[in-house]
Amino acid sequence: MKVLGISGSLRKGSYNTLALRAAQKLVPQGISMEIADISQVPMYNDDVQTAGVPEAVQALREQVRLADAVLLVTPEYNFSIPGVLKNTLDWLSRPPQPPFEGKPVAIMGASPGVVGTARVQYHLRQVLVFMNTFTLNKPEVFINLAATKFNEQGELTDEATRKIIGELLLSLQKLKQRIV
């Protein structure tokens, strides 16, 4: 199974990008993961789309289309979805043939706070309902107090977090098998 990982943060040293890289290293047998770059996706504008979908969006659409499943890893900004991630999803939700349609999707997030991205994940689930994805329900992965879970080299050192990320990936694999 091919999984495409997308971080909802552009920040260098983002805990979410670190968590995504950790997930890439933790993939169980039978799963491979590629990480997408959303930094070049322009702000959504229907006039731009009408004139021609930008190259960065086309490339990302193709990556999503070719993936068997998607892992979204996102911070929480103001109790909700970061603009860069929402903008990316807005581009990818547009016809023709929206690439998320019917795609298995898992969500996780990391935060320096104690809530660990719970609020953003529920908002993201609402967006994914509109996009007609098969969003994985459990396990929910809320990486709280993220600064304590990564070392100075950016490696995930918290064993409980490593374990639940592995469980999330196995559950995503099972979801994909169920909907084939």
Side-chain angles (χ1 to χ4, degrees), residues 48-108:
V48 171
Q49 177 174 307
T50 301
V53 177
E55 188 176 311
V57 175
Q58 285 284 41
L60 187 57
R61 285 177 66 93
E62 185 66 7
Q63 282 182 292
V64 173
R65 189 186 69 73
L66 291 173
D68 296 308
V70 176
L71 173 61
L72 299 175
V73 186
T74 186
E76 182 173 290
Y77 291 176
N78 301 316
F79 293 179
S80 195
I81 304 168
V84 67
L85 180 58
K86 180 64 169 71
N87 178 66
T88 297
L89 295 175
D90 288 343
W91 272 109
L92 296 175
S93 70
R94 299 301 189 255
Q97 301 172 342
F100 269 88
E101 179 88 22
K103 189 80 58 178
V105 178
I107 305 168
M108 66 181 205

Side-chain angles (χ1 to χ4, degrees), residues 3-7 17 20-24 33-37 63:
V3 176
L4 181 66
I6 299 174
S7 174
T17 301
L20 180 55
R21 288 187 189 130
Q24 188 178 38
M33 184 183 301
E34 174 185 6
I35 296 177
D37 176 13
Q63 282 182 292

